[in-house]
Amino acid sequence: MSAYSREILQATRLLCGSRGAMQLLQLHRKLLQRCDITEEEFIHIMEGCSRFLLVRGPAGDAGRRPEDCTVVAQTSLRLCRSYGREEPCGGEGVCEQLHLCRFFVYGTCRFGKGRKPCKFSHDVQSDHNYHLLRDCTLQELREDELFLLLLQNDPALLPEVCLHYNKGSGPHGCCTFMNTCTKVHLCQHFVQGDCLFGLKCKRQHAIDDHGRHLLEERGLSGEIIQDLPFIYRNIHHLAAAAATAATATLPSENRVPVPQTDETDICLHFIRNSCRFHNECRRVHFHLPYKWEVLDGNTWTDLQHMEDIERDFCDPSKTQSSGDRPVDFLTMTHQSRRVRRLSTVSSVTKPPHYMLTTGWLWYYKGDQGTWVEYGEPDDKNRTTSVTSRTLEEVYLSARTPEVKVVKGQREYVISFKDMYQRNLKHNTKRKVRRRPRFVSVAEVKKQAQ
């Protein structure tokens, strides 16, 4: 794409000047005013350059029209979190993330303009930052363009949309924090672009006064807050595309479940007979913290011997369940039909007193072919520098596709993308698996009392 560097830069600038996204045909018309480019070249750039995410319309493949497509600007650049916490990060020339003041990006840093200098960099063109920007061909962007690009791509910069606000019938949904919630109260369907109620929707389609006050306290400028509903829609498109790519491009043996949404989470309160939302609850009501289903035509139906399937699945050495007609855990199929496993939320997302959350354990294949849990001693009494809980937290945060781990004198990298642990020195690989801790039906009944 180096032959189209000017066109890519101008298209990026147009997108950043239009809240990070534009309709495909509109972008083409605007770009023609700046560059001499054919329609064929334009489509080639949009589909082939990693800077642009092409979001198709809701219609099927045959019904998609160019005017239904949206282009979203994307980048792999992030702010260095260690730098922002004044922690070691490898330093300039080693760290592959930008060293910038977060509040400078927000447009609200009080320092650096007066007598007292800011302890964090406001220099986008510093040697460290310029090197990274040049590698991503972003060195010619203006500061406001770069900051918009970072805001919709760096998940650490903006608070999440509150999922609990979008459930239940109350004015705050089922968000127990209500006016003190530190997440953004916005209609999730508006963010996703599929709200059917429009102006009649009971959920916010814009930031209200209370939300504005909370966001201003967090450090965001009024200009950013005004554009947040549109930025969150871009974030949704980028996250959805990343989740799809993470599963669709992997061999079936190495596929990792994408973190579940509320609609496929099992309700913790229902298991304990205490769900006050009843039929209005957006979570799945089931008597166990796991549920195995098979796709029968267009309907998901329960699999028989669910506890036995779950027991086998919790064993990382097993690739299928027992019996004459097993469930294949690598392809998630049962007699060529699709299978899925629903569960309660991961235990790392809730305080310890929450019962019957799902405890996910992470394993690597040891020297003798046995599976060893991270953080536990192997056959030579060596332990890894990370535990299952640490890996689960990082995995769910989606902050990074890889995690470094040390065992003894050796360094490894765990890749969430292909579920392998790689030796940095010898480049050898070991398989990695994520399986839940087994909970029997009897134990569920005892805890649910």
Side-chain angles (χ1 to χ4, degrees):
M1 287 291 173
S2 58
Y4 298 105
S5 57
R6 180 172 179 270
E7 289 78 6
I8 292 171
L9 171 64
Q10 294 301 325
T12 304
R13 281 184 161 166
L14 286 167
L15 291 172
C16 291
S18 184
R19 296 165 173 165
M22 293 178 72
Q23 293 296 309
L24 180 67
L25 294 185
Q26 181 188 13
L27 177 60
H28 187 209
R29 288 194 297 268
K30 294 285 186 180
L31 190 59
L32 281 173
Q33 298 174 12
R34 303 187 181 190
C35 305
D36 183 14
I37 183 174
T38 66
E39 182 178 352
E40 183 180 0
E41 289 174 322
F42 173 73
I43 297 300
H44 172 68
I45 293 171
M46 293 300 110
E47 293 182 338
C49 180
S50 61
R51 178 72 50 74
F52 310 111
L53 172 67
L54 199 58
V55 181
R56 307 289 182 180
D61 288 339
R64 283 179 181 152
R65 299 170 299 171
E67 55 265 36
D68 294 327
C69 295
T70 299
V71 183
V72 182
Q74 61 182 350
T75 180
S76 59
L77 271 184
R78 305 287 187 266
L79 292 193
C80 176
R81 299 186 70 186
S82 296
Y83 173 78
R85 293 193 293 257
E86 299 184 89
E87 297 174 353
C89 66
E92 296 188 1
V94 177
C95 178
E96 296 184 355
Q97 296 174 321
L98 294 171
H99 287 184
L100 284 173
C101 169
R102 174 194 293 260
F103 296 100
F104 175 52
V105 174
Y106 289 158
T108 58
C109 185
R110 297 173 297 167
F111 306 105
K113 298 179 181 179
R115 296 179 180 177
K116 188 175 181 180
C118 182
K119 58 185 175 181
F120 300 112
S121 176
H122 286 205
D123 186 3
V124 173
Q125 299 292 325
S126 70
D127 289 343
H128 173 78
N129 291 332
Y130 183 80
H131 172 74
L132 296 174
L133 292 170
R134 186 185 59 196
D135 286 348
C136 296
T137 64
L138 297 172
Q139 74 276 13
E140 295 185 53
L141 288 184
R142 299 194 309 267
E143 287 182 355
D144 60 320
E145 295 167 340
L146 174 63
F147 294 167
L148 186 284
L149 193 59
L150 291 173
L151 283 168
Q152 71 183 31
N153 283 273
D154 189 338
L157 288 178
L158 293 177
E160 299 175 3
V161 172
C162 180
L163 296 179
H164 298 287
Y165 169 74
N166 282 276
K167 297 187 295 290
S169 56
H172 297 282
C174 63
C175 176
T176 56
F177 296 102
M178 295 184 287
N179 287 330
T180 61
C181 184
T182 57
K183 296 184 179 181
V184 175
H185 282 194
L186 276 176
C187 171
Q188 188 176 19
H189 291 286
F190 172 75
V191 169
Q192 295 173 357
D194 59 2
C195 182
L196 302 177
F197 300 103
L199 296 176
K200 296 181 180 180
C201 183
K202 295 180 180 180
R203 301 295 171 215
Q204 296 285 343
H205 285 198
I207 306 296
D208 60 11
D209 291 339
H210 180 72
R212 176 177 292 273
H213 177 69
L214 289 175
L215 291 164
E216 287 174 346
E217 285 188 337
R218 187 182 174 105
L220 276 73
S221 68
E223 185 177 350
I224 291 175
I225 294 172
Q226 182 178 349
D227 290 341
L228 272 186
F230 304 96
I231 295 174
Y232 276 119
R233 181 169 296 180
N234 298 338
I235 291 173
H236 163 72
H237 289 315
L238 292 166
T244 300
T247 55
T249 61
L250 297 179
S252 57
E253 179 179 354
N254 296 327
R255 264 181 212 165
V256 189
V258 175
Q260 295 171 211
T261 62
D262 286 346
E263 289 77 5
T264 54
D265 279 343
I266 294 175
C267 178
L268 288 169
H269 300 286
F270 178 81
I271 299 176
R272 303 192 65 183
N273 299 312
S274 61
C275 181
R276 55 180 175 163
F277 297 107
H278 305 292
N279 292 334
E280 292 186 5
C281 183
R282 293 183 65 180
R283 290 184 170 85
V284 175
H285 281 188
F286 195 61
H287 66 283
L288 295 174
Y290 48 84
K291 191 172 192 279
W292 286 87
E293 299 178 334
V294 62
L295 188 60
D296 188 3
N298 295 320
T299 306
W300 289 100
T301 60
D302 292 355
L303 279 167
Q304 295 182 343
H305 312 297
M306 204 171 292
E307 183 181 23
D308 295 333
I309 296 173
E310 178 72 9
R311 183 184 291 106
D312 289 333
F313 183 65
C314 293
D315 183 346
S317 67
K318 293 190 175 181
T319 59
Q320 64 180 33
S321 62
S322 306
D324 297 332
R325 292 181 291 178
V327 173
D328 190 318
F329 299 141
L330 301 182
T331 61
M332 289 301 279
T333 56
H334 174 66
Q335 293 183 304
S336 301
R337 293 182 296 172
R338 286 178 57 197
V339 166
R340 70 178 182 179
R341 178 188 180 276
L342 310 184
S343 70
T344 54
V345 296
S346 176
S347 58
V348 303
T349 67
K350 296 290 184 182
H353 65 269
Y354 274 73
M355 302 175 68
L356 296 173
T357 54
T358 299
W360 288 97
L361 306 178
W362 289 76
Y363 302 89
Y364 64 92
K365 198 167 187 179
D367 294 331
Q368 306 303 320
T370 57
W371 290 87
V372 183
E373 183 186 347
Y374 282 93
E376 297 297 316
D378 63 8
D379 55 345
K380 296 180 181 178
N381 208 33
R382 299 171 300 182
T383 58
T384 55
S385 58
V386 297
T387 63
S388 283
R389 181 176 182 84
T390 303
L391 289 174
E392 181 69 7
E393 288 174 343
V394 176
Y395 168 73
L396 291 181
S397 72
R399 292 193 305 265
T400 174
E402 295 183 340
V403 173
K404 289 186 179 180
V405 58
V406 177
K407 186 176 74 170
Q409 302 298 317
R410 297 179 180 177
E411 293 185 352
Y412 305 89
V413 167
I414 299 169
S415 170
F416 295 137
K417 183 177 180 180
D418 57 14
M419 292 299 279
Y420 272 100
Q421 173 183 289
R422 179 170 56 86
N423 186 304
L424 289 177
K425 182 178 180 180
H426 302 290
N427 209 32
T428 54
K429 290 184 176 181
R430 296 177 185 269
K431 290 182 179 179
V432 172
R433 283 184 181 156
R434 175 184 183 250
R435 296 289 175 89
R437 179 182 285 108
F438 178 65
V439 181
S440 66
V441 173
E443 187 176 347
V444 172
K445 291 180 178 178
K446 183 177 179 181
Q447 291 192 49
Q449 290 178 352

